[in-house]
Amino acid sequence: MTRVVKAVGKEGEWLEEAVRVLRSGGLVAFPTETVYGLGADAFNESAVLKVFKVKRRPLGDALILHISGMEMVPQCVSEFPEDAEKLARRFWPGPLTLILGKAEPVPKVVTGGRRKVGVRWPAHPVAEAIIAGLGKPVVAPSANLSGRPSPTRASDVLTDLGGLIDLVVDGGETPIGIESTVLDLTVDPPTILRPGAIPKEEIEDVLGRPVALKPGTGSSKRARYSPSKQLVIVEAPASLPAEGTALREYAERVLQTALGLCGEGGVILASSETAAMYVVSGLKVIDIGSRSNALDVARKLYKALRIAEALAKTCIVSEDFPGGGLWVAIRYRLRSAAHKVVPWR
């Protein structure tokens, strides 16, 4: 049975229990600023193997080490170069994972046998307290079944992993809602393997040089973020405005696609600007935020996918969200989750 405890205050029984479970080789789900992570002692190989088994995650799909301060860095990596120092000063604690050469003691099961490892310092008081309480890094991939939408609420964790893990620390909804940016600093130019909450442009500004973007070239190419019902994305033109005739024409195309593919049993994921346009169809509509606020859409995305799969009798149709900055990460996740993309033309 999975126990659930509320994280009240910076310390207390919830923290003591979380640390006790981790020290005993158990699994603890807890919130970070991105999504809920499934935590295990990174240096306990049997505990790490449980993470793979519970999530049904392929062995060899490398895990990220989570730390609670710079003093833990030497436990994780063989060296911390100047670029890493610059990025850590700007973005840590925060949603940026740096891939560097691994320290010798890091178990091979964590890195999939590779000589490099991802490290990040999450910016969430619950995550920081648990890791600091344990006194060493933890692995903490998303606390869901592999391939499913990542969890942003404790209830999402229980839906996927209830009865399979020891403890869920409920710290409320996560504030960002999508995973960290993963940046490989072992290659030249530095390469983003997963777009995330820190946009490419901000990383380039810190480093003072270009950064490559090659999502899907990391340790795994498995399906990600997908709801159980078919998800269809209707491609939008790159210059789609947040209002006006072009947006109305795009919404009409989304509506016709939803009616054609899903019928009355479908669900539409819509922007705030267009949500009201679909109500007359009789389809269920979920507002996932404004086209002028990428952080709002990111925060709502996984929750919306989980709600939509529960509501949909047939399939889910989502609007597209082109643009730079954080929109790149949002679009990447929608594309990764989609079963089909309907071309704009």
Side-chain angles (χ1 to χ4, degrees), residues 118-129:
V119 184
R120 94 173 184 97
W121 178 356
H124 194 289
V126 172
E128 288 188 277

Side-chain angles (χ1 to χ4, degrees), residues 190-212:
T191 299
I192 293 175
L193 302 182
R194 181 180 71 191
I198 302 296
K200 174 176 180 284
E201 297 86 347
E202 292 186 26
I203 293 171
E204 291 176 330
D205 184 60
V206 171
L207 295 181
R209 59 191 174 111
V211 169

Side-chain angles (χ1 to χ4, degrees), residues 60 111-112 115 152 166 174 179 204 213 232 234 240 262 318 326 343:
T111 66
R115 299 181 66 84
T152 58
D166 301 288
T174 59
E179 295 84 353
E204 291 176 330
L213 177 61
V232 178
V234 180
L240 184 66
C262 306
S318 176
L326 187 55

Side-chain angles (χ1 to χ4, degrees), residues 53-75:
K53 182 178 180 180
V54 164
K55 281 178 59 66
R56 303 177 195 167
R57 181 184 178 108
L59 281 172
D61 192 357
L63 302 175
I64 294 169
L65 297 179
H66 293 66
I67 62 175
S68 61
M70 295 302 294
E71 68 277 4
M72 289 188 181
V73 168
Q75 299 179 56

Side-chain angles (χ1 to χ4, degrees), residues 239-263:
S239 58
L240 184 66
E243 59 183 2
T245 302
L247 185 63
R248 288 194 295 273
E249 290 176 350
Y250 173 67
E252 179 62 26
R253 179 169 174 75
V254 172
L255 177 57
Q256 293 307 315
T257 300
L259 290 172
L261 292 178
C262 306

